[in-house]
Amino acid sequence: MMAANFTEFRTNLKKFLDNVVNNNETLIIKRGTGKGAVMMSLDEYNSIMETLHLLNSKANADRLYESIKQMKEGDVVRNKLIEE
């Protein structure tokens, strides 16, 4: 995670954007008012939104957690790939 004040961010905008996008970094942009902003790559944002969507329903979240538990316990079904 990186942090920059607004002046540093404005001065080095391209460098910060490249670092966020190319290295999946998260950037906190601090402002004098004490409030700030967070910048992340679009891929990272989409991943978070997908996770939130999948866990939004209790039933779906329970199913996912149960599947993860089964996988960790080795309770999996393996099928051979169909060869053409």
Side-chain angles (χ1 to χ4, degrees):
M1 185 175 304
M2 303 179 305
N5 65 38
F6 184 74
T7 303
E8 291 171 317
F9 175 67
R10 186 178 58 220
T11 302
N12 299 299
L13 179 60
K14 182 180 180 336
K15 179 186 90 168
F16 283 118
L17 285 173
D18 287 345
N19 211 358
V20 165
V21 171
N22 296 332
N23 301 321
N24 280 329
E25 284 281 358
T26 302
L27 173 65
I28 297 172
I29 305 163
K30 300 178 282 185
R31 301 184 72 185
T33 61
K35 294 185 179 186
V38 175
M39 178 185 289
M40 66 179 74
S41 71
L42 182 58
D43 287 344
E44 188 70 20
Y45 173 80
N46 286 337
S47 175
I48 291 169
M49 290 298 108
E50 181 178 0
T51 300
L52 285 174
H53 174 74
L54 292 172
L55 297 177
N56 195 33
S57 154
K58 181 171 176 6
N60 198 48
D62 290 345
R63 254 184 253 119
L64 289 169
Y65 289 131
E66 179 62 26
S67 294
I68 291 169
K69 179 180 166 230
Q70 290 172 354
M71 183 186 71
K72 286 181 178 179
E73 293 173 351
D75 185 12
V76 296
V77 175
R78 296 180 190 261
N79 294 315
K80 290 188 177 187
L81 294 176
I82 299 172
E83 301 205 18
E84 294 181 35

Coordinates of all heavy atoms in Angstrom, one line a residue:
M1 N 0.8 -1.2 0.0 CA 0.0 0.0 0.0 C 0.9 1.2 0.0 O 1.9 1.3 0.7 CB -0.9 0.0 1.2 CG -1.9 1.1 1.2 SD -3.1 1.1 2.6 CE -3.8 -0.5 2.4
M2 N 0.5 2.2 -0.8 CA 1.3 3.4 -0.9 C 0.4 4.6 -0.4 O -0.8 4.5 -0.4 CB 1.7 3.7 -2.4 CG 2.4 2.7 -3.1 SD 2.8 3.1 -4.8 CE 1.2 3.4 -5.5
A3 N 1.1 5.7 0.0 CA 0.4 6.8 0.4 C 1.1 8.1 -0.2 O 2.3 8.1 -0.4 CB 0.3 6.9 1.9
A4 N 0.3 9.1 -0.6 CA 0.9 10.3 -1.1 C -0.1 11.4 -0.7 O -1.3 11.2 -0.6 CB 1.0 10.2 -2.6
N5 N 0.5 12.6 -0.5 CA -0.4 13.8 -0.3 C -0.8 14.2 -1.7 O -0.3 13.8 -2.7 CB 0.3 14.9 0.5 CG 1.5 15.5 -0.2 OD1 1.5 15.7 -1.4 ND2 2.5 15.8 0.6
F6 N -1.8 15.1 -1.7 CA -2.4 15.6 -3.0 C -1.4 16.2 -3.9 O -1.4 15.9 -5.1 CB -3.5 16.6 -2.7 CG -4.3 17.0 -4.0 CD1 -5.1 16.1 -4.6 CD2 -4.0 18.2 -4.5 CE1 -5.8 16.4 -5.7 CE2 -4.7 18.6 -5.7 CZ -5.6 17.7 -6.3
T7 N -0.4 17.0 -3.4 CA 0.6 17.6 -4.2 C 1.5 16.6 -4.9 O 1.8 16.6 -6.1 CB 1.4 18.6 -3.4 OG1 0.5 19.6 -2.8 CG2 2.4 19.3 -4.2
E8 N 1.9 15.6 -4.1 CA 2.8 14.5 -4.6 C 2.0 13.8 -5.7 O 2.6 13.4 -6.8 CB 3.2 13.5 -3.5 CG 4.1 14.0 -2.5 CD 4.3 13.0 -1.4 OE1 3.3 12.5 -0.9 OE2 5.4 12.8 -1.0
F9 N 0.8 13.5 -5.4 CA -0.1 12.7 -6.4 C -0.2 13.5 -7.7 O 0.0 12.9 -8.8 CB -1.5 12.5 -5.8 CG -2.4 11.8 -6.7 CD1 -2.2 10.5 -7.2 CD2 -3.5 12.5 -7.2 CE1 -3.1 9.9 -8.1 CE2 -4.4 11.9 -8.1 CZ -4.2 10.6 -8.5
R10 N -0.5 14.8 -7.6 CA -0.7 15.6 -8.8 C 0.6 15.7 -9.6 O 0.6 15.6 -10.8 CB -1.2 17.0 -8.4 CG -1.5 17.9 -9.6 CD -2.1 19.2 -9.1 NE -1.1 19.9 -8.3 CZ -1.3 20.6 -7.2 NH1 -2.6 20.7 -6.8 NH2 -0.4 21.2 -6.5
T11 N 1.7 15.9 -8.9 CA 3.0 16.0 -9.6 C 3.5 14.7 -10.2 O 4.1 14.8 -11.3 CB 4.1 16.4 -8.5 OG1 3.7 17.6 -7.9 CG2 5.4 16.6 -9.2
N12 N 3.1 13.6 -9.7 CA 3.6 12.3 -10.2 C 2.4 11.4 -10.6 O 2.5 10.2 -10.4 CB 4.4 11.6 -9.1 CG 5.7 12.4 -8.7 OD1 6.5 12.6 -9.6 ND2 5.8 12.8 -7.5
L13 N 1.4 12.0 -11.2 CA 0.2 11.3 -11.5 C 0.5 10.0 -12.3 O 0.0 8.9 -12.0 CB -0.8 12.2 -12.3 CG -2.1 11.6 -12.7 CD1 -2.9 11.1 -11.5 CD2 -2.9 12.6 -13.5
K14 N 1.2 10.1 -13.4 CA 1.5 9.0 -14.3 C 2.2 7.9 -13.5 O 1.8 6.7 -13.6 CB 2.3 9.4 -15.5 CG 2.6 8.2 -16.5 CD 3.4 8.6 -17.7 CE 3.7 7.5 -18.6 NZ 3.6 6.1 -18.2
K15 N 3.2 8.2 -12.7 CA 4.0 7.2 -12.0 C 3.0 6.5 -11.0 O 3.1 5.3 -10.9 CB 5.1 7.9 -11.2 CG 5.9 7.0 -10.3 CD 6.9 7.7 -9.5 CE 6.2 8.0 -8.2 NZ 7.1 8.4 -7.1
F16 N 2.2 7.2 -10.3 CA 1.3 6.6 -9.4 C 0.2 5.7 -10.1 O 0.0 4.6 -9.7 CB 0.5 7.6 -8.5 CG 1.4 8.2 -7.4 CD1 1.7 9.5 -7.4 CD2 1.9 7.4 -6.4 CE1 2.5 10.1 -6.4 CE2 2.7 7.9 -5.4 CZ 3.0 9.2 -5.4
L17 N -0.3 6.2 -11.2 CA -1.3 5.4 -12.0 C -0.6 4.1 -12.5 O -1.2 3.0 -12.4 CB -1.9 6.2 -13.1 CG -2.9 7.3 -12.8 CD1 -3.2 8.1 -14.0 CD2 -4.1 6.6 -12.2
D18 N 0.6 4.2 -13.0 CA 1.3 3.1 -13.6 C 1.5 2.1 -12.4 O 1.3 0.8 -12.6 CB 2.6 3.5 -14.2 CG 2.4 4.2 -15.5 OD1 1.3 4.1 -16.1 OD2 3.4 4.8 -16.0
N19 N 1.9 2.5 -11.3 CA 2.2 1.6 -10.1 C 0.9 0.9 -9.7 O 0.9 -0.3 -9.4 CB 2.9 2.4 -9.0 CG 3.8 1.6 -8.2 OD1 4.0 0.4 -8.4 ND2 4.4 2.2 -7.2
V20 N -0.2 1.7 -9.6 CA -1.4 1.1 -9.2 C -1.9 0.0 -10.2 O -2.3 -1.1 -9.8 CB -2.5 2.2 -9.0 CG1 -3.9 1.6 -8.9 CG2 -2.2 3.1 -7.8
V21 N -1.8 0.3 -11.5 CA -2.3 -0.6 -12.5 C -1.4 -1.8 -12.7 O -1.8 -2.9 -12.7 CB -2.6 0.2 -13.8 CG1 -2.9 -0.8 -14.9 CG2 -3.7 1.2 -13.7
N22 N -0.1 -1.5 -12.8 CA 0.9 -2.6 -13.2 C 1.2 -3.5 -12.0 O 1.6 -4.6 -12.2 CB 2.1 -2.0 -13.8 CG 1.9 -1.3 -15.1 OD1 0.9 -1.6 -15.8 ND2 2.7 -0.2 -15.4
N23 N 1.2 -3.0 -10.8 CA 1.6 -3.7 -9.6 C 0.5 -4.1 -8.6 O 0.7 -4.5 -7.5 CB 2.7 -3.0 -8.9 CG 3.9 -2.7 -9.8 OD1 4.3 -3.6 -10.6 ND2 4.5 -1.6 -9.7
N24 N -0.8 -3.8 -9.0 CA -1.9 -4.0 -8.1 C -1.7 -3.4 -6.8 O -2.1 -3.9 -5.7 CB -2.2 -5.5 -8.0 CG -3.0 -6.1 -9.1 OD1 -3.8 -5.4 -9.8 ND2 -2.8 -7.3 -9.4
E25 N -1.1 -2.2 -6.8 CA -0.9 -1.4 -5.6 C -2.2 -0.7 -5.2 O -3.0 -0.4 -6.1 CB 0.2 -0.4 -5.7 CG 1.6 -0.9 -5.7 CD 2.1 -1.2 -4.3 OE1 1.3 -0.9 -3.3 OE2 3.2 -1.8 -4.2
T26 N -2.4 -0.3 -4.0 CA -3.5 0.5 -3.5 C -2.8 1.8 -3.1 O -1.8 1.8 -2.4 CB -4.2 -0.1 -2.4 OG1 -4.7 -1.4 -2.8 CG2 -5.4 0.8 -1.9
L27 N -3.4 2.9 -3.5 CA -2.8 4.2 -3.2 C -3.8 5.0 -2.3 O -4.9 5.2 -2.7 CB -2.5 5.0 -4.5 CG -2.1 6.5 -4.3 CD1 -0.7 6.5 -3.6 CD2 -2.0 7.2 -5.6
I28 N -3.3 5.5 -1.2 CA -4.1 6.4 -0.4 C -3.7 7.8 -0.7 O -2.5 8.1 -0.6 CB -3.9 6.1 1.1 CG1 -4.4 4.7 1.4 CG2 -4.6 7.1 2.0 CD1 -4.1 4.2 2.8
I29 N -4.6 8.6 -1.1 CA -4.3 10.0 -1.3 C -4.8 10.9 -0.2 O -6.0 10.9 0.1 CB -5.0 10.5 -2.7 CG1 -4.5 9.5 -3.8 CG2 -4.6 11.9 -3.0 CD1 -5.4 9.6 -5.0
K30 N -3.8 11.4 0.6 CA -4.2 12.2 1.8 C -4.4 13.7 1.4 O -3.8 14.2 0.5 CB -3.0 12.1 2.8 CG -2.7 10.7 3.2 CD -1.6 10.6 4.2 CE -0.3 10.8 3.4 NZ 0.9 10.7 4.2
R31 N -5.4 14.3 2.1 CA -5.7 15.7 1.8 C -5.6 16.4 3.1 O -5.7 15.9 4.2 CB -7.1 15.8 1.3 CG -7.2 15.0 -0.1 CD -8.6 15.2 -0.7 NE -8.6 16.6 -1.2 CZ -9.7 17.1 -1.8 NH1 -10.8 16.4 -1.8 NH2 -9.7 18.3 -2.2
G32 N -5.4 17.7 3.0 CA -5.2 18.5 4.2 C -6.4 18.6 5.1 O -6.2 18.8 6.3
T33 N -7.5 18.3 4.7 CA -8.7 18.3 5.5 C -8.8 17.1 6.4 O -9.8 17.0 7.2 CB -10.0 18.3 4.6 OG1 -10.0 17.2 3.8 CG2 -10.0 19.6 3.8
G34 N -7.9 16.2 6.3 CA -8.0 14.9 7.1 C -8.8 13.8 6.3 O -8.7 12.7 6.7
K35 N -9.5 14.2 5.3 CA -10.2 13.2 4.5 C -9.3 12.8 3.4 O -8.4 13.6 2.9 CB -11.5 13.8 4.0 CG -12.5 14.0 5.1 CD -13.8 14.4 4.6 CE -14.8 14.7 5.7 NZ -16.1 14.9 5.3
G36 N -9.5 11.7 2.8 CA -8.7 11.3 1.7 C -9.4 10.4 0.7 O -10.7 10.3 0.8
A37 N -8.7 9.8 -0.2 CA -9.3 8.9 -1.2 C -8.4 7.7 -1.4 O -7.2 7.8 -1.0 CB -9.5 9.7 -2.5
V38 N -9.0 6.7 -1.9 CA -8.2 5.5 -2.2 C -8.3 5.2 -3.7 O -9.3 5.3 -4.3 CB -8.8 4.2 -1.4 CG1 -8.1 3.0 -1.8 CG2 -8.7 4.5 0.0
M39 N -7.1 4.9 -4.3 CA -7.1 4.5 -5.7 C -6.6 3.1 -5.8 O -5.7 2.7 -5.2 CB -6.1 5.4 -6.5 CG -6.0 5.1 -7.9 SD -4.8 6.1 -8.8 CE -5.6 7.6 -8.8
M40 N -7.3 2.3 -6.7 CA -6.9 0.9 -6.9 C -7.2 0.6 -8.4 O -7.9 1.4 -9.1 CB -7.7 0.0 -6.1 CG -9.2 -0.1 -6.4 SD -10.1 -1.2 -5.3 CE -10.2 -0.3 -3.8
S41 N -6.6 -0.4 -8.9 CA -6.8 -0.8 -10.3 C -8.2 -1.2 -10.6 O -8.9 -1.7 -9.6 CB -5.8 -1.9 -10.7 OG -6.2 -3.1 -10.1
L42 N -8.6 -1.1 -11.8 CA -10.0 -1.5 -12.2 C -10.1 -3.0 -11.9 O -11.2 -3.5 -11.5 CB -10.3 -1.2 -13.6 CG -11.6 -1.5 -14.2 CD1 -12.7 -0.9 -13.3 CD2 -11.8 -1.2 -15.6
D43 N -9.1 -3.8 -12.2 CA -9.2 -5.3 -12.0 C -9.4 -5.6 -10.5 O -10.2 -6.4 -10.1 CB -7.9 -6.0 -12.4 CG -7.8 -6.1 -13.9 OD1 -8.8 -5.9 -14.6 OD2 -6.7 -6.3 -14.4
E44 N -8.7 -4.9 -9.6 CA -8.9 -5.0 -8.2 C -10.3 -4.6 -7.7 O -10.9 -5.3 -6.9 CB -7.8 -4.2 -7.4 CG -7.8 -4.5 -5.9 CD -7.3 -5.9 -5.6 OE1 -6.6 -6.5 -6.4 OE2 -7.6 -6.4 -4.5
Y45 N -10.8 -3.5 -8.2 CA -12.1 -3.0 -7.9 C -13.2 -4.1 -8.3 O -14.1 -4.4 -7.6 CB -12.4 -1.7 -8.6 CG -13.8 -1.2 -8.4 CD1 -14.2 -0.6 -7.2 CD2 -14.7 -1.4 -9.4 CE1 -15.5 -0.2 -7.1 CE2 -16.0 -1.0 -9.3 CZ -16.4 -0.4 -8.1 OH -17.7 0.0 -8.0
N46 N -13.0 -4.5 -9.6 CA -14.0 -5.5 -10.1 C -14.0 -6.8 -9.3 O -15.0 -7.4 -9.0 CB -13.7 -5.8 -11.6 CG -14.1 -4.7 -12.5 OD1 -15.0 -3.9 -12.1 ND2 -13.5 -4.6 -13.6
S47 N -12.8 -7.2 -8.8 CA -12.7 -8.4 -8.0 C -13.4 -8.2 -6.7 O -14.1 -9.1 -6.2 CB -11.2 -8.7 -7.7 OG -11.0 -9.8 -6.9
I48 N -13.2 -7.1 -6.0 CA -13.9 -6.8 -4.8 C -15.4 -6.8 -5.0 O -16.2 -7.3 -4.2 CB -13.4 -5.5 -4.2 CG1 -12.0 -5.6 -3.7 CG2 -14.3 -5.0 -3.0 CD1 -11.3 -4.3 -3.4
M49 N -15.9 -6.1 -6.0 CA -17.3 -6.0 -6.3 C -17.9 -7.4 -6.6 O -19.0 -7.7 -6.1 CB -17.6 -5.1 -7.5 CG -17.3 -3.7 -7.3 SD -18.4 -3.0 -6.0 CE -17.2 -2.8 -4.6
E50 N -17.2 -8.3 -7.3 CA -17.6 -9.7 -7.5 C -17.7 -10.4 -6.2 O -18.7 -11.1 -6.0 CB -16.7 -10.4 -8.5 CG -17.1 -11.8 -8.8 CD -16.2 -12.5 -9.8 OE1 -15.2 -11.9 -10.2 OE2 -16.5 -13.6 -10.1
T51 N -16.7 -10.3 -5.3 CA -16.8 -10.9 -4.0 C -18.0 -10.5 -3.2 O -18.7 -11.3 -2.6 CB -15.5 -10.7 -3.3 OG1 -14.4 -11.2 -4.1 CG2 -15.5 -11.4 -1.9
L52 N -18.2 -9.2 -3.2 CA -19.3 -8.6 -2.4 C -20.6 -9.2 -3.0 O -21.5 -9.5 -2.2 CB -19.3 -7.1 -2.5 CG -18.3 -6.4 -1.7 CD1 -18.3 -4.9 -1.9 CD2 -18.5 -6.6 -0.2
H53 N -20.7 -9.3 -4.3 CA -22.0 -9.8 -4.9 C -22.2 -11.3 -4.5 O -23.3 -11.7 -4.2 CB -21.9 -9.7 -6.4 CG -23.0 -10.3 -7.2 ND1 -24.3 -9.8 -7.2 CD2 -23.1 -11.5 -7.8 CE1 -25.1 -10.6 -7.9 NE2 -24.4 -11.6 -8.3
L54 N -21.1 -12.1 -4.6 CA -21.2 -13.5 -4.3 C -21.6 -13.7 -2.8 O -22.3 -14.7 -2.5 CB -19.9 -14.2 -4.6 CG -19.6 -14.3 -6.1 CD1 -18.3 -14.9 -6.3 CD2 -20.7 -15.1 -6.8
L55 N -21.1 -12.8 -1.9 CA -21.3 -13.0 -0.5 C -22.5 -12.3 0.0 O -22.9 -12.3 1.2 CB -20.1 -12.6 0.3 CG -18.8 -13.4 0.0 CD1 -17.6 -12.8 0.8 CD2 -19.0 -14.9 0.4
N56 N -23.2 -11.6 -0.9 CA -24.4 -10.7 -0.5 C -25.5 -11.6 0.0 O -26.2 -11.2 0.9 CB -24.8 -9.9 -1.7 CG -25.7 -8.8 -1.3 OD1 -25.6 -8.2 -0.2 ND2 -26.6 -8.5 -2.2
S57 N -25.7 -12.7 -0.6 CA -26.8 -13.6 -0.1 C -26.2 -14.6 0.9 O -25.2 -15.2 0.7 CB -27.3 -14.4 -1.4 OG -27.9 -15.6 -1.0
K58 N -26.9 -14.7 2.0 CA -26.4 -15.6 3.1 C -26.4 -17.1 2.6 O -25.4 -17.8 2.8 CB -27.3 -15.6 4.3 CG -26.8 -16.5 5.4 CD -27.5 -16.3 6.7 CE -27.1 -17.3 7.8 NZ -26.1 -18.2 7.6
A59 N -27.4 -17.5 1.8 CA -27.4 -18.8 1.3 C -26.2 -19.1 0.3 O -25.6 -20.1 0.4 CB -28.7 -19.1 0.5
N60 N -25.9 -18.1 -0.5 CA -24.8 -18.3 -1.4 C -23.5 -18.3 -0.7 O -22.6 -19.1 -1.0 CB -24.8 -17.2 -2.5 CG -24.0 -17.5 -3.7 OD1 -24.1 -18.6 -4.2 ND2 -23.1 -16.6 -4.1
A61 N -23.4 -17.4 0.3 CA -22.1 -17.4 1.1 C -21.9 -18.7 1.8 O -20.8 -19.2 1.8 CB -22.2 -16.2 2.1
D62 N -23.0 -19.2 2.4 CA -22.9 -20.5 3.1 C -22.5 -21.6 2.2 O -21.6 -22.5 2.5 CB -24.2 -20.9 3.7 CG -24.6 -20.0 4.9 OD1 -23.7 -19.3 5.4 OD2 -25.8 -20.0 5.3
R63 N -23.0 -21.6 0.9 CA -22.6 -22.6 -0.1 C -21.1 -22.5 -0.4 O -20.4 -23.5 -0.5 CB -23.5 -22.5 -1.3 CG -24.5 -23.5 -1.5 CD -25.3 -23.4 -2.8 NE -26.6 -22.9 -2.5 CZ -27.1 -21.8 -2.9 NH1 -26.5 -21.0 -3.7 NH2 -28.3 -21.4 -2.5
L64 N -20.7 -21.3 -0.6 CA -19.3 -21.1 -1.0 C -18.4 -21.5 0.2 O -17.3 -22.2 -0.1 CB -19.0 -19.6 -1.3 CG -19.6 -19.1 -2.6 CD1 -19.6 -17.6 -2.7 CD2 -18.9 -19.7 -3.8
Y65 N -18.7 -21.1 1.4 CA -17.9 -21.5 2.5 C -17.8 -23.0 2.7 O -16.8 -23.6 3.1 CB -18.3 -20.8 3.8 CG -18.0 -19.3 3.8 CD1 -19.0 -18.4 4.2 CD2 -16.7 -18.8 3.5 CE1 -18.7 -17.0 4.2 CE2 -16.4 -17.5 3.5 CZ -17.4 -16.6 3.8 OH -17.1 -15.2 3.8
E66 N -19.0 -23.6 2.5 CA -19.0 -25.1 2.6 C -18.1 -25.8 1.5 O -17.4 -26.7 1.8 CB -20.5 -25.6 2.5 CG -20.6 -27.1 2.5 CD -20.2 -27.7 3.9 OE1 -20.2 -27.0 4.9 OE2 -19.8 -28.9 3.8
S67 N -18.2 -25.2 0.3 CA -17.3 -25.7 -0.8 C -15.9 -25.6 -0.4 O -15.1 -26.5 -0.7 CB -17.7 -25.0 -2.1 OG -19.0 -25.3 -2.5
I68 N -15.5 -24.4 0.1 CA -14.1 -24.2 0.5 C -13.7 -25.2 1.6 O -12.6 -25.8 1.5 CB -13.9 -22.8 1.0 CG1 -14.0 -21.8 -0.2 CG2 -12.5 -22.6 1.6 CD1 -14.1 -20.3 0.1
K69 N -14.5 -25.4 2.5 CA -14.3 -26.4 3.6 C -14.1 -27.8 3.0 O -13.1 -28.5 3.4 CB -15.4 -26.4 4.6 CG -15.2 -27.3 5.8 CD -16.4 -27.3 6.7 CE -16.4 -28.5 7.6 NZ -17.7 -29.2 7.7
Q70 N -14.9 -28.2 2.1 CA -14.8 -29.5 1.5 C -13.5 -29.6 0.8 O -12.8 -30.7 0.8 CB -16.0 -29.8 0.6 CG -17.3 -30.0 1.3 CD -18.5 -30.0 0.4 OE1 -18.4 -29.8 -0.8 NE2 -19.7 -30.3 0.9
M71 N -13.2 -28.6 0.0 CA -11.9 -28.6 -0.8 C -10.7 -28.8 0.2 O -9.8 -29.6 -0.1 CB -11.8 -27.4 -1.6 CG -10.6 -27.4 -2.5 SD -10.3 -25.8 -3.3 CE -9.8 -24.8 -2.0
K72 N -10.7 -28.0 1.3 CA -9.6 -28.1 2.2 C -9.5 -29.5 2.9 O -8.4 -29.9 3.2 CB -9.7 -27.0 3.3 CG -9.4 -25.6 2.7 CD -9.5 -24.6 3.8 CE -9.1 -23.2 3.2 NZ -9.2 -22.1 4.2
E73 N -10.6 -30.1 3.0 CA -10.6 -31.4 3.7 C -10.3 -32.5 2.7 O -10.3 -33.7 3.0 CB -12.0 -31.7 4.4 CG -12.2 -30.8 5.6 CD -13.6 -30.9 6.1 OE1 -14.5 -31.5 5.5 OE2 -13.8 -30.3 7.2
G74 N -10.2 -32.2 1.4 CA -9.9 -33.2 0.4 C -11.1 -33.9 -0.2 O -11.0 -34.8 -0.9
D75 N -12.3 -33.4 0.2 CA -13.6 -34.0 -0.3 C -13.9 -33.4 -1.6 O -14.7 -32.5 -1.8 CB -14.7 -33.7 0.7 CG -16.0 -34.3 0.4 OD1 -16.0 -35.2 -0.5 OD2 -17.0 -34.0 1.0
V76 N -13.2 -33.8 -2.7 CA -13.4 -33.3 -4.0 C -13.7 -34.4 -5.0 O -13.4 -35.6 -4.7 CB -12.1 -32.5 -4.5 CG1 -11.9 -31.3 -3.6 CG2 -10.9 -33.3 -4.5
V77 N -14.2 -34.0 -6.1 CA -14.5 -35.0 -7.2 C -13.5 -34.6 -8.3 O -13.5 -33.4 -8.8 CB -15.9 -34.9 -7.7 CG1 -16.1 -35.8 -8.9 CG2 -16.8 -35.3 -6.5
R78 N -12.8 -35.5 -8.8 CA -11.8 -35.2 -9.9 C -12.3 -36.0 -11.2 O -12.6 -37.2 -11.1 CB -10.4 -35.6 -9.6 CG -9.9 -34.8 -8.4 CD -8.4 -35.3 -8.1 NE -8.0 -34.7 -6.9 CZ -7.2 -33.6 -6.8 NH1 -6.9 -33.0 -7.9 NH2 -6.9 -33.1 -5.6
N79 N -12.4 -35.3 -12.3 CA -12.8 -35.9 -13.5 C -11.7 -35.7 -14.5 O -11.0 -34.7 -14.5 CB -14.1 -35.3 -14.1 CG -15.3 -35.6 -13.2 OD1 -15.5 -36.7 -12.8 ND2 -16.1 -34.5 -12.9
K80 N -11.5 -36.7 -15.4 CA -10.5 -36.5 -16.4 C -11.1 -35.6 -17.5 O -12.3 -35.5 -17.7 CB -10.2 -37.9 -17.1 CG -9.4 -38.8 -16.2 CD -9.0 -40.0 -16.9 CE -8.2 -40.9 -15.9 NZ -7.6 -42.0 -16.6
L81 N -10.2 -34.8 -18.1 CA -10.5 -33.9 -19.2 C -10.9 -34.7 -20.4 O -10.4 -35.8 -20.7 CB -9.4 -33.0 -19.5 CG -9.0 -32.0 -18.4 CD1 -7.8 -31.2 -18.9 CD2 -10.2 -31.0 -18.1
I82 N -11.9 -34.2 -21.1 CA -12.3 -34.8 -22.4 C -11.3 -34.4 -23.4 O -11.0 -33.3 -23.7 CB -13.7 -34.4 -22.8 CG1 -14.7 -34.8 -21.7 CG2 -14.1 -34.9 -24.1 CD1 -16.1 -34.2 -21.9
E83 N -10.7 -35.4 -24.1 CA -9.7 -35.1 -25.1 C -10.4 -35.2 -26.4 O -11.2 -36.1 -26.7 CB -8.5 -36.1 -25.0 CG -7.9 -36.0 -23.6 CD -6.5 -36.4 -23.7 OE1 -5.9 -36.5 -24.7 OE2 -5.9 -36.7 -22.6
E84 N -10.0 -34.3 -27.3 CA -10.6 -34.3 -28.6 C -9.8 -35.1 -29.6 O -8.7 -35.4 -29.5 CB -10.6 -32.8 -29.2 CG -11.6 -32.0 -28.3 CD -11.6 -30.6 -28.8 OE1 -11.5 -30.3 -30.1 OE2 -11.8 -29.7 -28.0

